[in-house]
C-alpha cells in the first residue's frame, strides 16, 4: 500500500446526500433525546413560548425553535461550557450535537447573538416553567419525593470587576475617591501611590454595598467568596430533595441578602415546582388526617398541604423564621448558633416563637436529625459541585440578575436530567459514557489476552492427547509418581 499525501483540491459544487460521511452519533445524547421525546418536551416548550412570538401566519423570519434553544443550554451543563459563544462553536463543530438539536446539515447552528436575543425575549417565568417541566420528568421516573428538603446557598462570580465600582452618592470611582481623601488630608498634589498609601492606613475602611455600586452590572453585589477574595457576586440558593438528590428549586438572589431572608422565596418556588411537576393544584390539596394540628400549627387559608421537613445549616437559624416555618407546616432541623446570655422572646413573638425554637433544638439532637444533617452536607453540596464546578457555572458571563437566573435555572435542569440518566443507565454525563465504552473495550481486550495465555498453556496437552497412544496427563508429568491404575490405563 502506498502512502497517501495531502493535496489541495477543489470541492465539488453539488454533493448528493447519500455521499456524505455519516456521523456515528453519541449514545448519551441519543438516549437523552429519547427521554425528552417521551415527555413531549418540544411540544410543551413551544406551548410555553408561543405567547411571546407572533402568530404563525405573520410573514418574517422564523425564530429558533424553543426546543433547540433549551437543548443548547442543557448541553452547556453537560459539556461544561460557560459562554454562549462557546456553545455556538461546540455545536458547529460536532455532527452528533447537530443530531441532538435536530438540525439538518444545510441549516446553520444558531449563533450567540440569537441565543442572547431569545433569552431576552423569553421572561424568567418561562424558564421556571421549563425547569418544572424537566422536574416532571424526574418525578415520572420515581426520583422526586419532596418529604425532606435541604437548602443551602453559594456565590457566583459576576461578570464585573471591582475596579468599575463607583460611589452611589458622588459617582466617583475608587481611585478618584481616595485621591480626594488624600487632598483633604493635606497632600497638595497626591499621586496614585500616595493615595494608595493613605487608603491602606485609613481607619474604618469598608467597601459597603450601601455606598458602592458597579457600573458594569448594577445588580451584582460586593461579597466575600469561599476562597476569601472580595468580588462582585450573586447568591444562588438550592432546595434539594434529600432522599433522591433532585434539585427542587434554584433561585438567584443578590449577594447581600441574608440566608434567613431568602429562604422563604426559595421554599415558595420549591412548593410551586413540586405541585407543577405532579400536576396538583396546591389550593385543592386536602389536609393530611394523620397529622395532628394545634393552634400554633394552624395551616394557612386555602387548604393545608402535607408537612415537609426542612434541613439547613446554622446560617439559616433565626427564631422568628422558625416560627414562620412552623406555621407553614415545615418541621425544621436547623442547628442553632452559639449565643452568650439568656434568650428573650418578648420582641420575637412570645411563646409561639419559644416553642418553635425549643422543638427545633430537640429535633436536631436526635439520631434522625443527625442523619438529615449528614444528608444535607453531602447531597446539597453535591448539587453545587455538579452545577457550579462540573457545569462551569461558578463564573457567570451574563449581566443582570434576571439573565443570570435564566441561565442558572437551565443549568439546574441539566443537573436533574443527569440524575435521571445516572439512575437509569449508571452514568449521567457524556464523558462518563465515553469512559464506560473505553472500560468495556479494555475489559474485552483483557479477556482476550487471558484466553490466549490459557490456550498457549494448554496447547501442548491438546497436541499430546491428539496423538494415538499418547499418555493421558500433562506433558511434564512423571509416570513413576502416578497411581498404578492410571499407569495401566496409560
Amino acid at each position: 500500500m502506498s502512502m497517501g499525501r495531502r493535496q489541495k483540491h477543489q470541492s465539488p459544487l453539488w454533493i448528493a446526500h447519500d455521499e456524505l460521511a455519516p456521523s456515528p452519533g453519541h449514545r448519551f445524547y441519543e438516549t437523552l433525546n429519547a427521554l425528552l421525546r417521551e415527555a413531549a418536551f418540544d411540544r410543551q416548550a413551544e406551548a410555553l413560548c408561543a405567547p411571546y412570538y407572533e402568530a404563525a401566519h405573520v410573514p418574517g423570519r422564523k425564530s429558533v425553535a424553543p426546543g433547540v434553544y433549551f437543548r443548547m443550554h442543557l448541553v452547556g451543563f453537560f459539556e461544561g461550557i460557560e459562554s454562549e459563544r462557546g456553545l455556538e462553536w461546540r455545536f458547529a463543530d460536532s455532527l452528533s450535537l447537530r443530531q441532538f438539536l435536530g438540525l439538518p446539515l444545510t441549516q446553520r447552528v444558531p449563533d450567540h447573538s440569537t441565543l442572547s436575543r431569545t433569552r431576552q425575549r423569553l421572561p424568567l417565568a418561562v424558564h421556571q416553567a421549563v425547569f418544572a417541566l424537566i422536574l416532571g420528568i424526574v418525578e415520572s421516573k420515581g426520583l422526586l419525593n419532596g418529604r425532606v428538603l435541604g437548602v443551602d446557598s453559594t456565590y457566583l462570580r459576576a461578570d464585573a470587576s471591582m475596579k468599575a465600582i463607583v460611589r452611589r452618592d458622588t459617582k466617583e470611582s475608587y481611585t478618584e475617591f481616595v485621591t480626594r481623601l488624600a487632598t483633604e488630608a493635606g497632600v497638595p498634589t497626591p499621586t496614585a501611590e500616595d493615595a494608595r498609601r493613605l487608603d491602606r492606613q485609613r481607619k474604618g475602611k469598608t467597601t459597603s454595598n450601601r455606598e458602592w455600586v458597579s457600573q458594569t452590572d448594577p445588580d451584582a453585589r460586593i461579597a466575600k467568596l469561599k476562597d476569601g477574595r472580595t468580588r462582585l457576586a450573586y447568591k444562588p440558593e438550592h432546595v434539594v430533595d434529600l432522599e433522591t438528590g433532585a434539585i427542587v428549586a434554584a433561585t438567584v438572589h443578590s449577594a447581600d441578602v441574608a440566608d434567613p431572608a431568602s429562604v422563604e422565596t426559595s421554599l415558595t418556588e420549591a412548593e410551586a415546582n413540586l405541585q407543577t411537576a405532579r400536576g396538583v393544584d396546591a389550593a385543592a390539596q386536602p389536609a393530611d388526617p394523620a397529622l395532628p394540628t394545634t393552634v400554633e400549627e394552624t395551616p394557612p387559608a386555602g387548604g393545608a398541604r402535607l408537612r415537609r421537613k426542612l434541613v439547613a445549616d446554622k446560617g439559616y437559624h433565626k427564631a422568628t423564621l422558625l416560627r414562620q416555618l412552623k406555621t407553614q407546616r415545615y418541621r425544621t432541623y436547623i442547628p442553632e448558633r452559639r449565643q452568650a446570655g439568656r434568650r428573650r422572646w418578648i420582641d420575637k413573638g412570645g411563646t409561639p416563637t419559644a416553642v418553635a425554637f425549643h422543638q427545633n433544638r430537640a429535633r436536631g439532637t436526635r439520631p434522625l436529625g443527625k442523619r438529615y444533617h449528614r444528608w444535607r452536607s453531602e447531597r446539597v453540596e453535591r448539587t453545587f459541585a455538579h452545577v457550579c464546578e462540573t457545569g462551569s457555572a461558578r463564573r457567570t458571563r451574563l449581566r443582570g440578575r434576571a439573565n443570570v437566573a435564566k441561565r442558572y435555572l437551565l443549568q439546574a435542569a441539566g443537573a436533574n436530567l443527569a440524575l435521571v440518566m445516572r439512575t437509569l443507565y449508571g452514568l449521567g454525563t457524556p464523558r462518563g459514557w465515553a469512559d464506560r465504552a473505553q472500560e468495556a473495550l479494555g475489559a474485552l481486550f483483557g479477556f482476550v489476552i487471558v484466553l490466549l495465555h490459557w490456550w498457549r498453556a494448554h496447547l501442548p496437552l491438546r497436541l499430546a492427547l491428539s496423538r494415538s497412544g499418547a499418555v493421558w496427563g500433562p506433558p511434564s508429568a512423571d509416570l513413576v509418581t502416578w497411581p498404578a491404575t492410571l499407569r495401566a490405563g496409560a
Side-chain angles (χ1 to χ4, degrees):
M1 177 185 295
S2 61
M3 181 183 66
R5 298 183 182 274
R6 188 175 183 271
Q7 299 177 356
K8 295 183 179 179
H9 64 279
Q10 183 178 1
S11 300
L13 184 61
W14 305 103
I15 302 177
H17 186 272
D18 55 357
E19 295 179 359
L20 295 174
S23 171
H26 200 297
R27 185 60 180 168
F28 175 84
Y29 289 113
E30 292 175 356
T31 308
L32 181 60
N33 238 350
L35 186 67
L36 296 176
R37 193 181 308 113
E38 177 186 356
F41 175 77
D42 292 275
R43 179 177 56 81
Q44 298 189 55
E46 291 171 2
L48 291 172
C49 300
Y52 304 96
Y53 290 96
E54 297 289 346
H57 63 274
V58 176
R61 178 186 174 186
K62 297 293 183 181
S63 70
V64 176
V68 173
Y69 167 76
F70 292 119
R71 276 181 172 85
M72 291 185 71
H73 285 87
L74 292 177
V75 171
F77 165 78
F78 290 116
E79 301 283 339
I81 303 173
E82 61 182 13
S83 66
E84 293 175 344
R85 292 178 183 269
L87 286 176
E88 177 191 357
W89 179 88
R90 183 70 180 92
F91 277 90
D93 191 61
S94 175
L95 291 177
S96 60
L97 289 181
R98 292 180 66 96
Q99 292 179 1
F100 177 65
L101 294 183
L103 296 179
L105 295 177
T106 56
Q107 185 175 349
R108 182 181 176 182
V109 174
D111 55 16
H112 64 92
S113 61
T114 303
L115 294 178
S116 178
R117 293 293 299 272
T118 305
R119 186 188 64 252
Q120 294 173 6
R121 176 182 291 270
L122 299 178
L124 181 59
V126 172
H127 292 76
Q128 292 172 343
V130 172
F131 176 84
L133 177 61
I134 295 180
L135 191 64
I137 299 178
V138 178
E139 198 275 337
S140 65
K141 303 303 178 181
L143 298 175
L144 185 63
N145 294 330
R147 294 188 294 263
V148 185
L149 302 178
V151 60
D152 203 354
S153 62
T154 186
Y155 286 114
L156 303 180
R157 284 192 60 185
D159 190 25
S161 174
M162 288 289 292
K163 297 180 181 180
I165 60 175
V166 297
R167 291 191 62 85
R168 293 182 181 270
D169 50 359
T170 61
K171 303 302 179 182
E172 294 175 305
S173 66
Y174 198 85
T175 303
E176 296 172 348
F177 172 68
V178 296
T179 302
R180 179 171 61 84
L181 292 181
T183 304
E184 295 175 355
V187 181
T189 55
T191 62
E193 183 179 356
D194 296 335
R196 287 194 298 268
R197 185 184 306 110
L198 178 65
D199 185 55
R200 285 194 296 267
Q201 300 174 356
R202 181 164 54 95
K203 294 183 179 180
K205 174 184 174 181
T206 58
T207 308
S208 172
N209 286 298
R210 294 189 298 269
E211 300 174 353
W212 299 90
V213 65
S214 173
Q215 283 185 320
T216 308
D217 188 358
D219 291 343
R221 295 292 182 266
I222 302 171
K224 182 175 288 187
L225 303 182
K226 298 292 185 180
D227 55 4
R229 296 178 296 172
T230 301
R231 294 291 185 271
L232 292 166
Y234 290 96
K235 190 186 84 167
E237 194 168 48
H238 287 190
V239 180
V240 181
D241 188 344
L242 290 184
E243 294 178 295
T244 62
I247 301 177
V248 183
T251 56
V252 177
H253 306 276
S254 296
D256 57 347
V257 178
D259 289 341
S262 62
V263 65
E264 291 192 75
T265 303
S266 300
L267 290 177
T268 302
E269 184 67 27
E271 186 65 31
N273 291 337
L274 285 172
Q275 303 301 334
T276 304
R278 292 171 175 171
V280 179
D281 186 7
Q285 186 175 358
D288 187 5
L291 295 176
T293 303
T294 61
V295 176
E296 293 82 4
E297 297 177 352
T298 303
R305 57 163 177 78
L306 297 178
R307 184 186 299 276
R308 305 193 194 281
K309 300 178 180 180
L310 179 66
V311 188
D313 59 12
K314 64 178 63 176
Y316 289 87
H317 190 278
K318 188 177 180 181
T320 55
L321 177 64
L322 296 177
R323 175 175 55 83
Q324 294 173 5
L325 292 177
K326 182 180 178 181
T327 58
Q328 297 172 11
R329 299 181 64 80
Y330 283 102
R331 192 182 296 272
T332 57
Y333 295 81
I334 305 177
E336 60 180 300
R337 306 168 180 168
R338 290 184 179 181
Q339 178 177 334
R342 187 176 180 180
R343 296 184 181 272
R344 302 181 182 275
W345 309 106
I346 297 177
D347 57 340
K348 299 179 180 63
T351 302
T353 304
V355 171
F357 175 87
H358 290 289
Q359 287 179 348
N360 173 78
R361 172 190 287 178
R363 284 192 291 266
T365 58
R366 295 167 187 160
L368 182 62
K370 295 179 179 179
R371 185 200 309 169
Y372 286 159
H373 285 297
R374 288 194 298 269
W375 285 4
R376 186 207 62 80
S377 61
E378 174 186 353
R379 300 178 184 180
V380 179
E381 295 296 336
R382 183 184 298 164
T383 61
F384 288 121
H386 288 326
V387 175
C388 298
E389 307 302 335
T390 307
S392 298
R394 179 67 68 181
R395 172 67 184 268
T396 178
R397 297 296 178 181
L398 303 176
R399 295 172 183 173
R401 190 162 69 92
N403 288 327
V404 175
K406 293 174 185 178
R407 178 68 190 273
Y408 197 85
L409 273 172
L410 298 181
Q411 292 283 109
N416 282 338
L417 285 177
L419 173 66
V420 175
M421 298 290 288
R422 191 181 307 114
T423 304
L424 296 181
Y425 306 103
L427 295 169
T429 59
R431 183 177 300 177
W433 281 59
D435 293 342
R436 183 171 66 175
Q438 293 181 358
E439 292 174 0
L441 184 60
L444 179 61
F445 181 75
F447 175 75
V448 172
I449 294 298
V450 171
L451 185 62
L452 289 176
H453 281 294
W454 180 87
W455 179 263
R456 291 183 60 184
H458 292 76
L459 182 60
L461 175 61
R462 292 178 175 272
L463 292 177
L465 291 178
S466 63
R467 302 191 189 99
S468 57
V471 180
W472 180 86
S476 60
D478 189 2
L479 294 179
V480 180
T481 60
W482 283 26
T485 55
L486 292 180
R487 289 201 302 270

